[in-house]
């Protein structure tokens, strides 16, 4: 068995390693106001799969992800520097896509456009029957376009 990000997988892993860079910055709207809890992902170029000399039919991709804090700031250490797309999503804003940086960026600014829809943030605590915190619980909210997240150990 192999373990990735705390989960057990019954397979022989084929791991692709890329140089790492550190990114940090802030996600804001068009007026410069912070966009809280924006989700950032590194979407690896699918053409990379064609360059790997292995059978990848049963493989899966783990895209590096992080999130901005309540003030729109994010720190993303050790992100792969490869051919990829930076994808940013935040409730009430249009998705943002651009080429992923290949050099460290300590002060990135990502500007999202508003969709004009009202945004509601829901906070809570997922607990088990003995009132202990539950890590990794899958939580969804919404109808039509739903939004999902998973719980942290706190």
């Amino acid at each position: 068995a192999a373990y990735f990000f705390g989960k057990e997988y019954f397979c022989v892993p084929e791991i692709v390693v890329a140089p790492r860079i550190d990114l940090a910055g802030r996600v804001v709207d068009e007026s410069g106001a912070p966009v809280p809890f924006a989700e950032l992902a590194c979407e690896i170029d699918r053409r990379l799969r064609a360059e790997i000399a292995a059978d990848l039919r049963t493989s899966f991709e783990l895209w590096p992800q992080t999130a901005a804090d309540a003030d729109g700031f994010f720190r993303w250490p050790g992100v792969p520097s490869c051919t990829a797309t930076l994808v940013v999503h935040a409730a009430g804003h249009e998705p943002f896509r651009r080429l992923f940086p290949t050099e460290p960026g300590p002060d990135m600014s990502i500007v999202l456009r508003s969709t004009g829809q009202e945004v509601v943030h829901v906070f809570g605590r997922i607990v088990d029957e003995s009132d202990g915190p539950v890590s990794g619980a899958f939580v969804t909210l919404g109808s039509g376009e739903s939004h999902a997240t998973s719980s942290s150990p706190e």
Side-chain angles (χ1 to χ4, degrees):
Y3 293 88
F4 295 102
F5 303 104
K7 295 182 181 177
E8 183 177 22
Y9 297 93
F10 295 95
C11 62
V12 176
E14 181 81 27
I15 299 173
V16 178
V17 179
R20 303 290 181 168
I21 59 174
D22 295 337
L23 300 176
R26 193 172 197 194
V27 182
V28 297
D29 65 17
E30 297 158 306
S31 70
V35 176
F37 312 112
E39 297 173 351
L40 297 87
C42 173
E43 187 176 289
I44 309 294
D45 190 325
R46 292 191 179 269
R47 290 177 289 187
L48 176 65
R49 294 173 67 91
E51 298 173 14
I52 299 173
D55 182 359
L56 301 177
R57 288 178 290 181
T58 60
S59 69
F60 57 92
E61 297 172 359
L62 295 173
W63 291 348
Q65 299 178 356
T66 193
D69 64 16
D71 296 316
F73 290 103
F74 66 91
R75 291 180 39 83
W76 204 354
V79 186
S81 175
C82 60
T83 305
T85 302
L86 172 61
V87 182
V88 183
H89 292 277
H93 296 82
E94 295 177 9
F96 173 93
R97 299 176 69 84
R98 69 165 249 199
L99 286 177
F100 204 82
T102 56
E103 298 292 327
D107 195 23
M108 293 178 64
S109 181
I110 298 171
V111 180
L112 300 184
R113 293 185 194 160
S114 174
T115 60
Q117 296 176 347
E118 181 182 2
V119 177
V120 175
H121 292 282
V122 176
F123 298 90
R125 186 170 177 246
I126 309 297
V127 297
D128 61 20
E129 56 277 352
S130 60
D131 203 33
V134 176
S135 178
F138 188 70
V139 180
T140 61
L141 172 70
S143 59
E145 181 185 329
S146 70
H147 302 279
T149 189
S150 64
S151 63
S152 67
E154 296 84 45

